[in-house]
Amino acid sequence: MSDLVGDSMEQLIQERVRKLRENTDFALALFEDLVGYAIVAADFDGNVIAYNEGACQVFGYTTDEVIGKQNIEVFFPKELIEEGRLQILIGDLLGKERFTYEGESIRKNGTRFPAQFLLTLAKDKNDRVIGLIEIVQDLTERKRIEEIEALRRSEEHFRSLIENASDLITVLNAQGIMQYQSPSVERILGYKPEELIGRNGFEFVHPDDIPKIQAAFIELLQNPNASPSIEIRFRHKNGSWRVLETKSKNLVNEHGSLQIVVNSRDITERKQAEEEYAQLLLREQIARAKAEEAVDMVRRLQAITDTALAHLSLKDLLPKLLNRLKELLDADTIVILLVAEDEQHLVVKASIGLEGEVAEGLQIPIGQGIAGRIAVDRETLIVNDLATEEVESLVLRAKGIRSIVGVPLMVEGRVIGVVHAGAFRPYRFTDRDALLLQLVADRIGLAIEHARLYEEEQAARIEAEAAQQRLAFLAHASSVLSASLDYQTRLDTVADLVVPYLADWCFVGLIGENGLLHRIAVAHADPSKADLARNLEQAMMLSPDTLHSIFKVLQTGHPEIYPEISDSFLLTMTHDPEHLKLLRQLNPRSYLCVPLQVQGRPLGAITFLSVESGRRYNSADLALAEDFANRVAAPIENARLYQEAQEADRRKDEFLAILGHELRNPLAPVRNALEIMRLRSGNDPTLKRAMDIVERQIQHMTRLVDDLLDISRIIRGKVQLKKEPLDLNTIITRAIETSQPFIENRQHGLLVSLPQEPLWVEGDPARLEQILVNLLNNAAKYTEPGGRIWLTCTQEGEEAVIRIRDTGIGIPPEMLLRIFDLFTQASQSLDRSQGGLGIGLTLVRSLVQMHGGSVSAFSEGLGRGSEFVVRLPVLSETGSRTLNPDSVDPKPKILDSKRRVLVVDDNVDAATTLSELIKLWGHEVYTAYDGPSAVEAALTYLPDIVLLDIGLPGMDGYEVARQLRQEPRLSKTLLIALTGYGQEKDQQYSQEVGFDQHFTKPVDIPTLQRILGSQRRE
């Protein structure tokens, strides 16, 4: 530190400190002269008493910022203050008077810089210590010059080392271009450095080693700290290859560019020595191995012989032989093929080393391919490279086999098969390999033949047992299928019958009119595979344009059987990758598909798959499957026809229900409006006649709708009679009252003759009245105006006999036999002036038969009138005593008080006219047009009676009824369904949800009046 401040300089500073105590201005001026040094003086209280221009330049503070301020600590290194060393240093100065050191200081802006420090004591003229002086010299520039000089010396040293190194030093850029070569390159590789600089290093590297260099480059680029080591072959200038051991490192040059430094050492001679030593060891090992091999070969041949004699079953024998042969020949693959029953093909019976595709059951024509040629030539065949020699072996090439040796399997001079071994690389099988294989073949040929004879004996016994099982299976199938007429149930039953007796999976597919498989049943013994079954069911919905085997069976009418299934066969069964994935997941082993036919017409097909069981389908399985299909085809077709009939019946019911609803709805406002006009019309005879005409037509339309719906329900047996003992005279009287307006309108004369005493029968009063009204209306309709009608009722033995005769148009003889058939009418003229749908008489016959009676028709021909005779069983005297008179003609209790009535109907005309009619009857009415409004109005209005339509928007009438029945305040309110839906199921559902009564539109006006006047709900 002596170069910082000399003794004379220190004395000068001390003198100026003394002057500072005597004359401040003069001392400060003296400090300013000392430029190049930062000088700071302070008293022992820490107040700065001197601060020169050099200090301003070094520390960055101005004189005003420090003079007189107690902040001397800012001029010392921070670590001195934090560690408490500054106080210790000042204490030491009192004894030493000066202290020097080199370290870092800090400027006002926070930057650090290297500096030399001198600390000394300030004294007055009497040589008393009055403070502290710090002298600082900034070393930043000097340090920089020293570093540059050190780097220059280091580079010269490094270059000297490289120039004289024995190893090869190479510098490449990121693209592999050589930018530097050490002089040793000429000694190692024969090139002068300038011959390589600027050229790409890859062009001198052996092609097989380029991937190693590329991997090293990538590692260096990805990891700056990497240092990969590899061995490469580099081309010498004379064309030979030298082996270099290299180690690479990243380097960034002075321009910031990435460079790669490679240190290479020539290890060619060492590698050659190592290889020669390895060859020597190998020859010694081969000599020992040959001796051991001779002993081992005898042992292996004996093991093969023992294996062949130890197994009587081919299934057990062949896998064992495969493993023994593979070990013996050191081969990648072994395949055993046996001559098929047709003696025209070789069948793969076992293989090892081939993944899946050359599966058991693959057939190869004798004479084709390698195995086929061996079978024909009866000689050993060796092919060292299938890719270069002209041989027909597409299957083996496809599996990657390059070399093969094969021999025939012979028994008593007869070829029974072929065995061949293969390698996945070009490999030279020797005559020794062929001899070994032939020695083995001689042994296993006899073992295979022996096992085959044993299996044939076993198969004959098993076949006899299987025949009994098949007969029992077919008998059971016929019995089970007769248990249900449901279409899908029968399909599922068919599939379930097959599993697991004949298949692990069974698919039953039926063809629709569009040619698609529109109905599928899938069965598997394991319930856990239900999801897979559903997926397969969807995947089986195929169209005929696929190559699927099912459609081939349907088109030809012939079954298909594949004892062994390959992946190529699965491809023909798929129509998209997802389907193929499902089939591969299923992993079928054997396949059988037979057609379902009825009288030569294809219905579909049944597919049998063997999976888990490993079953291989054969001709016996095919015969059983065809027999099974023949037995189940007719029941399936019958179930289909039955389902179609049921579906047609259901659609007809739906149509009739909608038809009845749509026809009844417009009749309701018409009848309401007619009744309003009656109440307001006065005594105008013309208007009265017009209204009578309208009423008759409304009644006619209502009867037509009722008859149409009744005949449908009766034919299907869905009408339940509400039978009770009743007087037939009462029913006849009611029927006459109902038909009287129509008869009078036709100006007919009606003559009635009834018994003087009651004539008791058991029946449904409404339905018996309907029978008689239909016959009376029929007589009036088919009789010219002004005609005559006779109605008589008598008892003949145990029957009540009702005769209705007219002077009408009569019935032709050919019509008498079918007059009661549906949609049959005596007159078929184009104008159909008589009207009607031709269902009335059918309805009459059905209802009479439901009462245990009969009806017949008589006529002497056209223009000579008709007679219909109804016969009903009469009740005994004992039975008649059970009659409840009130049940025949119940009379509701009529109240005269005004009712609050809520009318709900989305048909505005119906709701409006009904509301106006009820008001004219003297009741209070509120109207709503949808479900939510009806609920809100009922809760506010609290009606006595609600006349509620069913088909409402927003909320149907059933839901409205449910909500109203949950309201305690409406517990006494009568809920009346007033709707166009009148089937029994509609009426039953109305009762379930809380309706008190159910009426179809148009409601009978007198009935409605009685309801509005009746008491409230109990």
Side-chain angles (χ1 to χ4, degrees):
M1 298 297 294
S2 59
D3 61 335
L4 178 66
V5 179
D7 292 340
S8 59
M9 178 64 71
E10 185 177 352
Q11 292 174 0
L12 176 61
I13 292 174
Q14 289 289 348
E15 181 61 27
R16 293 186 177 182
V17 170
R18 295 188 187 96
K19 295 291 184 181
L20 182 64
R21 303 293 298 176
E22 298 173 358
N23 188 339
T24 301
D25 293 337
F26 173 74
L28 289 175
L30 290 176
F31 271 115
E32 292 299 328
D33 294 341
L34 299 175
V35 296
Y37 296 92
I39 301 175
V40 181
D43 59 23
F44 283 112
D45 292 328
N47 297 312
V48 177
I49 57 177
Y51 185 78
N52 73 338
E53 181 62 27
C56 293
Q57 295 173 359
V58 171
F59 292 111
Y61 297 97
T62 62
T63 304
D64 294 336
E65 290 177 312
V66 295
I67 293 295
K69 305 293 192 304
Q70 194 173 5
N71 58 357
I72 184 62
E73 291 180 352
V74 301
F75 302 107
F76 290 91
K78 189 175 181 180
E79 53 270 21
L80 284 179
I81 300 171
E82 290 177 348
E83 296 171 4
R85 291 164 53 200
L86 180 61
Q87 295 299 328
I88 298 173
L89 194 62
I90 295 173
D92 291 341
L93 282 175
L94 295 175
K96 298 179 181 179
E97 295 192 354
R98 64 182 292 171
F99 177 77
T100 61
Y101 69 96
E102 185 173 314
E104 280 190 340
S105 187
I106 187 168
R107 307 185 201 277
K108 178 183 178 181
N109 60 10
T111 60
R112 291 177 173 272
F113 62 95
Q116 284 183 337
F117 299 85
L118 170 65
L119 294 179
T120 186
L121 297 174
K123 299 179 181 180
D124 60 10
K125 59 183 179 179
N126 297 320
D127 208 34
R128 289 178 303 175
V129 176
I130 60 174
L132 181 70
I133 300 175
E134 180 186 32
I135 305 172
V136 180
Q137 182 179 12
D138 188 347
L139 301 181
T140 301
E141 184 61 23
R142 192 179 78 182
K143 288 289 185 180
R144 187 182 67 83
I145 293 172
E146 288 175 355
E147 288 175 358
I148 292 173
E149 181 61 20
L151 179 62
R152 184 186 62 78
R153 289 195 301 270
S154 175
E155 287 178 349
E156 289 177 353
H157 177 67
F158 177 71
R159 182 173 296 276
S160 174
L161 289 174
I162 290 177
E163 297 293 335
N164 295 287
S166 61
D167 290 347
L168 173 60
I169 308 298
T170 306
V171 178
L172 306 96
N173 62 14
Q175 289 73 39
I177 304 300
M178 292 181 282
Q179 298 179 325
Y180 173 80
Q181 283 287 359
S182 63
S184 57
V185 69
E186 185 173 4
R187 173 178 54 80
I188 296 173
L189 295 174
Y191 301 98
K192 294 184 180 298
E194 55 270 20
E195 293 180 288
L196 296 179
I197 292 175
R199 298 182 67 175
N200 193 312
F202 283 75
E203 64 181 273
F204 296 93
V205 176
H206 194 283
D208 293 343
D209 295 341
I210 288 179
K212 292 194 292 185
I213 295 184
Q214 291 174 334
F217 259 65
I218 292 173
E219 183 181 357
L220 287 166
L221 293 175
Q222 292 177 345
N223 182 5
N225 297 320
S227 180
S229 297
I230 58 175
E231 291 182 4
I232 62 170
R233 286 164 288 179
F234 204 91
R235 189 173 64 246
H236 194 278
K237 189 172 182 179
N238 62 15
S240 63
W241 294 101
R242 305 294 293 180
V243 182
L244 302 181
E245 184 181 59
T246 67
K247 187 172 183 178
S248 305
K249 289 285 289 185
N250 280 324
L251 176 68
V252 178
N253 63 18
E254 65 272 15
H255 303 295
S257 298
L258 178 65
Q259 292 179 317
I260 297 173
V261 178
V262 183
N263 186 306
S264 303
R265 177 169 296 173
D266 187 0
I267 60 172
T268 304
E269 284 73 19
R270 189 187 77 190
K271 297 296 289 186
Q272 289 174 347
E274 290 175 353
E275 185 175 350
E276 290 175 357
Y277 180 69
Q279 289 294 328
L280 178 61
L281 290 178
L282 179 61
R283 286 194 293 271
E284 292 178 356
Q285 291 172 356
I286 290 174
R288 286 196 303 269
K290 285 182 178 181
E292 294 172 357
E293 183 181 9
V295 176
D296 185 60
M297 191 62 63
V298 174
R299 180 182 57 79
R300 292 189 181 188
L301 287 173
Q302 185 59 46
I304 291 175
T305 302
D306 295 341
T307 299
L309 295 175
H311 298 85
L312 288 175
S313 168
L314 284 177
K315 182 179 179 181
D316 298 330
L317 172 63
L318 294 180
K320 300 291 185 180
L321 290 177
L322 289 174
N323 287 309
R324 296 290 189 187
L325 285 171
K326 192 171 185 295
E327 294 174 2
L328 180 66
L329 298 173
D330 190 25
D332 296 322
T333 67
I334 303 290
V335 179
I336 297 176
L337 307 94
L338 299 182
V339 174
E341 292 181 1
D342 62 4
E343 297 185 353
Q344 302 297 317
H345 294 82
L346 290 171
V347 180
V348 175
K349 285 296 182 180
S351 64
I352 190 171
L354 297 175
E355 295 184 359
E357 298 303 325
V358 180
E360 294 181 28
L362 177 67
Q363 294 190 349
I364 299 174
I366 292 178
Q368 296 183 16
I370 288 179
R373 285 172 52 187
I374 294 172
V376 171
D377 297 339
R378 300 186 173 206
E379 294 180 354
T380 300
L381 179 63
I382 297 177
V383 180
N384 290 316
D385 193 346
L386 291 173
T388 59
E389 299 192 30
E390 294 187 6
V391 291
E392 296 178 3
S393 184
L394 298 178
V395 174
L396 296 178
R397 287 184 182 178
K399 298 310 299 175
I401 295 178
R402 297 290 299 276
S403 303
I404 195 165
V405 56
V407 299
L409 292 172
M410 305 282 291
V411 174
E412 298 179 354
R414 175 171 51 91
V415 175
I416 67 166
V418 172
V419 58
H420 60 69
F424 292 131
R425 62 197 184 283
Y427 178 78
R428 184 167 296 281
F429 283 106
T430 64
D431 292 337
R432 172 185 170 279
D433 296 324
L435 178 60
L436 282 174
L437 189 58
Q438 188 62 65
L439 289 173
V440 173
D442 292 341
R443 288 169 170 78
I444 67 175
L446 290 173
I448 289 174
E449 186 67 8
H450 183 232
R452 175 182 286 175
L453 292 174
Y454 173 79
E455 289 185 348
E456 288 178 357
E457 293 176 0
Q458 293 295 101
R461 180 182 59 80
I462 293 171
E463 178 58 29
E465 296 174 355
Q468 294 297 326
Q469 294 177 356
R470 286 195 289 268
L471 290 174
F473 165 71
L474 293 173
H476 175 67
S478 299
S479 173
V480 171
L481 285 172
S482 63
S484 173
L485 273 174
D486 181 72
Y487 192 30
Q488 187 62 46
T489 299
R490 280 199 170 173
L491 285 177
D492 294 337
T493 300
V494 168
D496 291 338
L497 282 170
V498 170
V499 175
Y501 178 71
L502 193 54
D504 298 315
W505 286 90
C506 178
F507 301 86
V508 182
L510 300 183
I511 297 295
E513 294 179 357
N514 55 4
L516 298 175
L517 281 173
H518 76 293
R519 181 73 67 159
I520 292 288
V522 182
H524 188 274
D526 186 357
S528 66
K529 297 192 177 181
D531 291 339
L532 178 57
R534 282 191 291 270
N535 293 334
L536 286 170
E537 180 175 341
Q538 293 298 319
M540 291 288 287
M541 298 294 185
L542 305 176
S543 59
D545 56 0
T546 66
L547 297 177
H548 199 285
S549 176
I550 290 178
F551 289 102
K552 183 178 178 182
V553 169
L554 292 173
Q555 291 165 4
T556 63
H558 300 299
E560 288 218 331
I561 180 171
Y562 290 86
E564 306 285 342
I565 294 180
S566 64
D567 196 65
S568 58
F569 174 76
L570 292 182
L571 292 173
T572 68
M573 297 179 67
T574 61
H575 52 92
D576 58 47
E578 190 62 30
H579 186 194
L580 179 61
K581 180 180 178 182
L582 279 173
L583 288 177
R584 284 175 172 163
Q585 181 183 351
L586 189 63
N587 190 26
R589 305 293 299 277
S590 191
Y591 171 87
L592 176 60
C593 182
V594 296
L596 282 169
Q597 295 178 332
V598 173
Q599 297 180 348
R601 180 173 60 85
L603 297 181
I606 306 179
T607 301
F608 308 84
L609 287 181
S610 167
V611 184
E612 298 90 345
S613 64
R615 179 175 188 159
R616 301 296 185 266
Y617 290 124
N618 53 33
S619 57
D621 296 322
L622 176 58
L624 176 60
E626 289 185 298
D627 198 351
F628 177 75
N630 291 335
R631 289 177 183 244
V632 303
I636 289 175
E637 177 66 359
N638 292 339
R640 183 187 68 80
L641 294 174
Y642 177 76
Q643 178 175 288
E644 288 181 356
Q646 293 291 95
E647 179 64 17
D649 195 44
R650 184 190 64 78
R651 289 196 298 268
K652 180 189 67 178
D653 288 347
E654 292 179 355
F655 168 75
L656 290 176
I658 295 172
L659 177 64
H661 179 269
E662 295 303 315
L663 291 176
R664 283 169 172 157
N665 265 338
L667 290 176
V670 174
R671 171 164 281 183
N672 296 339
L674 176 63
E675 193 62 25
I676 292 171
M677 287 190 288
R678 283 189 188 282
L679 294 174
R680 293 183 177 274
S681 63
N683 297 319
D684 185 343
T686 302
L687 183 58
K688 184 177 183 302
R689 283 195 301 274
M691 289 188 293
D692 289 342
I693 292 171
V694 173
E695 182 173 16
R696 283 195 298 274
Q697 296 305 314
I698 292 174
Q699 291 175 348
H700 179 61
M701 284 291 295
T702 302
R703 283 195 299 274
L704 287 177
V705 174
D706 290 341
D707 287 351
L708 181 64
L709 298 178
D710 277 347
I711 193 63
S712 173
R713 292 196 294 269
I714 290 172
I715 290 174
R716 291 181 291 108
K718 294 188 176 181
V719 170
Q720 298 294 325
L721 297 181
K722 299 177 182 178
K723 288 184 178 183
E724 60 185 52
L726 49 84
D727 181 7
L728 194 55
N729 289 339
T730 303
I731 302 301
I732 294 173
T733 301
R734 287 186 184 178
I736 292 172
E737 290 175 356
T738 301
S739 298
Q740 191 70 42
F742 184 51
I743 295 173
E744 291 177 353
N745 181 61
R746 300 282 291 176
Q747 301 175 7
H748 298 318
L750 176 62
L751 300 177
V752 180
S753 175
L754 300 178
Q756 295 299 317
E757 299 295 331
L759 184 56
W760 300 104
V761 297
E762 185 177 37
D764 187 323
R767 293 302 185 182
L768 288 177
E769 181 181 341
Q770 184 179 5
I771 292 170
L772 297 175
V773 168
N774 272 348
L775 291 175
L776 286 170
N777 288 347
N778 207 53
K781 180 169 58 175
Y782 289 102
T783 300
E784 296 297 330
R788 304 191 71 171
I789 301 173
W790 292 269
L791 188 154
T792 64
C793 180
T794 61
Q795 180 173 349
E796 298 178 5
E798 296 182 356
E799 290 183 330
V801 182
I802 304 170
R803 288 181 170 86
I804 298 175
R805 184 166 57 89
D806 61 63
T807 59
I809 62 174
I811 304 172
E814 66 273 11
M815 292 289 294
L816 283 174
L817 296 176
R818 53 188 184 91
I819 193 66
F820 292 101
D821 292 345
L822 190 61
F823 306 127
T824 299
Q825 290 181 311
S827 174
Q828 296 293 337
S829 58
L830 291 175
D831 62 0
R832 298 184 63 85
S833 61
Q834 305 303 331
L837 299 174
I839 62 175
L841 291 179
T842 305
L843 184 63
V844 166
R845 181 179 62 180
S846 298
L847 289 174
V848 170
Q849 291 174 347
M850 292 176 70
H851 283 82
S854 63
V855 60
S856 53
F858 304 92
S859 177
E860 295 181 4
L862 290 175
R864 305 187 67 177
S866 306
E867 182 180 25
F868 289 84
V869 180
V870 176
R871 297 179 180 273
L872 297 170
V874 297
L875 275 176
S876 64
E877 183 179 352
T878 303
S880 65
R881 292 198 188 108
T882 63
L883 176 66
N884 179 6
D886 293 337
S887 67
V888 177
D889 188 15
K891 299 292 185 182
K893 201 171 201 179
I894 304 298
L895 299 179
D896 296 330
S897 60
K898 180 186 295 186
R899 295 293 184 200
R900 291 194 304 277
V901 182
L902 173 60
V903 176
V904 183
D905 201 325
D906 62 326
N907 186 322
V908 177
D909 289 342
T912 303
T913 55
L914 183 58
S915 297
E916 291 179 0
L917 179 59
I918 295 173
K919 287 178 182 178
L920 290 175
W921 290 341
H923 300 290
E924 182 181 332
V925 184
Y926 189 88
T927 307
Y929 302 104
D930 58 57
S933 300
V935 174
E936 182 180 356
L939 296 177
T940 304
Y941 187 52
L942 299 178
D944 300 310
I945 300 172
V946 179
L947 300 177
L948 180 58
D949 188 20
I950 299 300
L952 295 173
M955 181 191 301
D956 64 32
Y958 295 129
E959 182 59 29
V960 173
R962 286 194 195 92
Q963 295 196 19
L964 296 187
R965 282 294 175 236
Q966 294 173 0
E967 175 56 48
R969 292 179 296 168
L970 299 176
S971 61
K972 300 296 184 180
T973 299
L974 281 175
L975 293 185
I976 310 297
L978 196 57
T979 176
Y981 295 109
Q983 293 187 341
E984 288 187 10
K985 66 177 183 179
D986 302 319
Q987 298 182 30
Q988 181 179 356
Y989 194 42
S990 294
Q991 184 178 2
E992 291 175 359
V993 300
F995 280 103
D996 296 292
Q997 297 189 54
H998 183 110
F999 292 106
T1000 55
K1001 298 178 181 179
V1003 68
D1004 181 64
I1005 297 300
T1007 302
L1008 182 59
Q1009 284 182 296
R1010 288 198 301 272
I1011 292 173
L1012 295 180
S1014 64
Q1015 293 189 20
R1016 299 184 68 183
R1017 187 173 189 261
E1018 296 300 329

